[in-house]
Amino acid sequence: MNQKPAQPRTAMNLQKINRFSAFAAFGFAFFCLLWAVLMLALLPAAAGQKDYSLMVIDPQWTLVAITGLVSSVFALFAVFGIYRQSHEKGGLLLLVGVVIFALGILFEFASLTWDVFIWPVVCANEQYIRFVSSGELIKTPQFMVFL
């Protein structure tokens, strides 16, 4: 019988990794675009530039922030998948670029974690919302060190 020789396991794994990387890149692009559209469509962005708490207390805030959080998770997988495909030709410059890009994604992920879990709690409390809406929180030295 004409049976094809079995492919080595590495070829099969590389194909799966390539597909996963493509899926991650598509997921990043899709959720990043969705995040931008939802932010402009659902949140009071104009009012939020003057008073950030107005955006945070909006009922759609968590949905929009989670969409951004999901996009950053996909972005991290996509970047490392792209690096895996190009690392032999890219050399040191590609490695440095991927490390810097991945670090930026991690910082974005940290910021979006605040948007999902911290800011809604802070802005739900009447005592603390004053610090956010007046800008006092952002002007404190400790907050600037954190940023």
Side-chain angles (χ1 to χ4, degrees):
M1 307 213 168
N2 290 334
Q3 289 184 348
K4 292 182 182 178
Q7 286 183 329
R9 286 207 38 89
T10 56
M12 190 64 146
N13 289 340
L14 291 178
Q15 186 179 17
K16 287 181 181 178
I17 291 171
N18 288 345
R19 284 185 181 161
F20 180 75
S21 299
F23 176 75
F26 176 78
F28 164 62
F30 175 77
F31 281 103
C32 193
L33 178 64
L34 184 63
W35 177 36
V37 169
L38 289 177
M39 186 169 290
L40 292 174
L42 298 179
L43 298 178
Q49 290 178 350
K50 295 180 180 124
D51 185 357
Y52 190 68
S53 67
L54 294 176
M55 286 185 13
V56 176
I57 60 174
D58 190 280
Q60 304 298 327
W61 173 260
T62 304
L63 171 72
V64 173
I66 287 174
T67 304
L69 195 64
V70 169
S71 78
S72 64
V73 170
F74 275 115
L76 203 54
F77 284 113
V79 165
F80 287 117
I82 291 168
Y83 175 74
R84 199 221 45 85
Q85 290 176 341
S86 306
H87 73 281
E88 293 173 354
K89 297 176 188 172
L92 183 62
L93 185 61
L94 178 65
L95 176 65
V96 171
V98 165
V99 168
I100 291 170
F101 192 53
L103 194 60
I105 292 169
L106 287 174
F107 286 143
E108 183 66 23
F109 184 82
S111 173
L112 287 163
T113 302
W114 268 72
D115 288 351
V116 172
F117 299 106
I118 305 297
W119 288 123
V121 174
V122 169
C123 290
N125 190 327
E126 289 295 326
Q127 290 177 320
Y128 300 123
I129 198 168
R130 176 176 59 90
F131 291 111
V132 177
S133 61
S134 68
E136 291 178 45
L137 178 68
I138 296 173
K139 294 175 187 174
T140 61
Q142 293 87 352
F143 192 79
M144 294 307 288
V145 167
F146 169 75
L147 288 178

